[in-house]
Amino acid sequence: MRALENKSKETAKMGNYSMRCLGTGETFEDDYTLHFTDGALVIADYKSKLEVKSNLEGIWKYQDWLPISKPTSDVAGTVTYKAEALGQELGLTNLWITFHGYWPERKAICPTGAFKDMEAVPTIQRMRDHGCKGIICASAGNTARAFTHFCGKNNFPLIVIVGGIHADRIWATDDVPLDSVKVVVVEDGDYLDAKLVSKEIAAKLEGWQLEGGAHNIARRDGIGSLILDAWNEIGRLPDHYFQAVGGGPGPIGVKEMMQRLVDFGLAEEPVSKIHLSQNPEHCPIHNAWQEKRSQLIESDFPNEEVEVYSDYLLNKSPSYGIKGGVYDILNASKGETYVVPRDDAIRASALFEKVEGIDIMSPAAVALGSLIQAKDSGRIQPEDCIVLNVSGGGVNRLKRDKNTRIVEPWLVAPKNGLADSVVKKLNNQ
């Protein structure tokens, strides 16, 4: 009887939300749904008002607005603090940081050094809720590292696909078991190649699921909880929100969470102005937004492979023109976009480490560089309430404090035929 009671409670908890297609407006129940109609994202509509669970850690404080049946023992989340020193350096009196990474003095709780941890934790539980056998994940590094860490800890099956240029980014601390993790490397491949191979594998493995990228509501709402943490600490939504962008699930999730706060009467309109930044050599989102186009075109992308300061932001198929995507959130928030030259990003990184006392990853340096641009150009005012998303930090510190090792590839092969090789090897085990 107790087992039946527990199952009933879990079912009731999963009933805390329904799904809605942003293209057609139709509502439906979640079946680990990533796609409902072409050209549109799906969104979770939560039935209850958010009650912050101050006795819990990380994203679980905001579990009312996560698409999962229950919290788990895995912890990842945001640390929000007022950046007095950096604000004084920049001439900003109300600057706040949402920090994601490793920083013991700040009690930071993203164990792999980036806010992708906040996407992995609810995604794994959402997959469990829907009986998925395992996760298929394509990545340029941060996402793969997050899923490797938490799937390894939970012995949850994971196939992670990376391009050869990113294979060395899949590392883990020595205390994380890796029996359930299979790293597949696309020889001479990049992130787009990894995405294409992952879709091929998913079509051939029954019961396994793509983690879904921007189409995955658990990723968007997990990462979107950072603005809930900022709202909870500041007592209001900020005037401005700054983040570097590659594919788009982060800022999309942040905008969705801000809108929920407004819709439930927990925050006042308008939502924060969203400021997004990219490398100047590869900046499709910036190019399209500067012309106020709702769709990307071929000329938004460089004609050839380019070297950039932050290749975490390289994405050849960002979620820009899709309904509910980056164009829509920039349009709704009257947002701004920037490109940050390499030298400016390097100076921003050095400034943050000098003033705040911790290293930051390259996307966060790009975001800080855009904040400096906005201040110098008058797009923000010194007294404005500003949130800077430090999306990754403390990795150098983590590697000094802990033993880490590169995850050995399970399979390395050219792109052509790789999906079949993965399935064959998996079935032979």
Side-chain angles (χ1 to χ4, degrees), residues 10-176:
E10 182 169 309
T11 301
K13 176 61 182 174
M14 286 181 69
N16 185 48
Y17 72 98
S18 59
M19 301 283 287
R20 175 165 48 93
C21 175
L22 292 175
T24 67
E26 294 172 80
T27 60
F28 51 94
E29 293 305 309
D30 187 14
D31 188 24
Y32 200 83
T33 309
L34 299 176
H35 177 267
F36 188 83
T37 192
D38 290 345
L41 296 175
V42 294
I43 192 170
D45 285 331
Y46 295 98
K47 300 175 182 178
S48 61
K49 193 172 184 176
L50 175 67
E51 292 185 10
V52 179
K53 310 294 191 295
S54 56
N55 59 315
L56 299 179
E57 287 189 280
I59 63 171
W60 303 126
K61 290 190 289 187
Y62 312 107
Q63 68 181 54
D64 290 343
W65 286 358
L66 293 174
I68 44 86
S69 64
K70 59 186 177 182
T72 71
S73 59
D74 294 324
V75 175
T78 302
V79 173
T80 302
Y81 70 96
K82 191 170 186 181
E84 302 275 6
L86 184 61
Q88 184 174 0
E89 187 76 22
L90 299 177
L92 301 171
T93 60
N94 202 7
L95 174 63
W96 294 77
I97 299 292
T98 54
F99 184 87
H100 307 93
Y102 177 79
W103 195 357
E105 292 79 6
R106 289 277 182 190
K107 298 181 180 179
I109 46 175
C110 282
T112 76
F115 68 171
K116 299 298 184 180
D117 294 340
M118 296 158 59
E119 302 178 10
V121 168
T123 295
I124 293 168
Q125 182 55 38
R126 185 184 178 211
M127 288 212 174
R128 284 172 164 160
D129 288 341
H130 294 281
C132 301
K133 291 181 181 178
I135 301 175
I136 302 167
C137 170
S139 176
N142 286 341
T143 302
R145 196 161 64 246
F147 277 95
T148 294
H149 177 91
F150 288 104
C151 286
K153 281 185 62 181
N154 287 276
N155 196 33
F156 193 84
L158 170 69
I159 298 172
V160 56
I161 304 96
V162 294
I165 59 173
H166 299 137
D168 62 345
R169 289 181 175 172
I170 316 304
W171 50 262
T173 52
D174 282 352
D175 59 333
V176 176

Side-chain angles (χ1 to χ4, degrees), residues 203-264:
K204 297 172 184 292
L205 284 181
E206 184 178 355
W208 288 67
Q209 280 282 1
L210 288 167
E211 52 79 21
H215 292 266
N216 178 0
I217 56 169
R219 278 191 67 168
R220 299 204 317 264
D221 291 352
I223 209 167
S225 70
L226 73 89
I227 204 68
L228 299 181
D229 200 74
W231 160 82
N232 190 41
E233 289 296 322
I234 300 169
R236 54 165 286 195
L237 286 176
D239 300 311
H240 303 276
Y241 169 78
F242 283 79
Q243 184 195 319
V245 63
I252 295 170
V254 165
K255 166 60 172 61
E256 290 171 344
M257 282 300 190
M258 291 194 293
Q259 193 62 53
R260 288 189 185 104
L261 289 171
V262 170
D263 291 346
F264 275 91

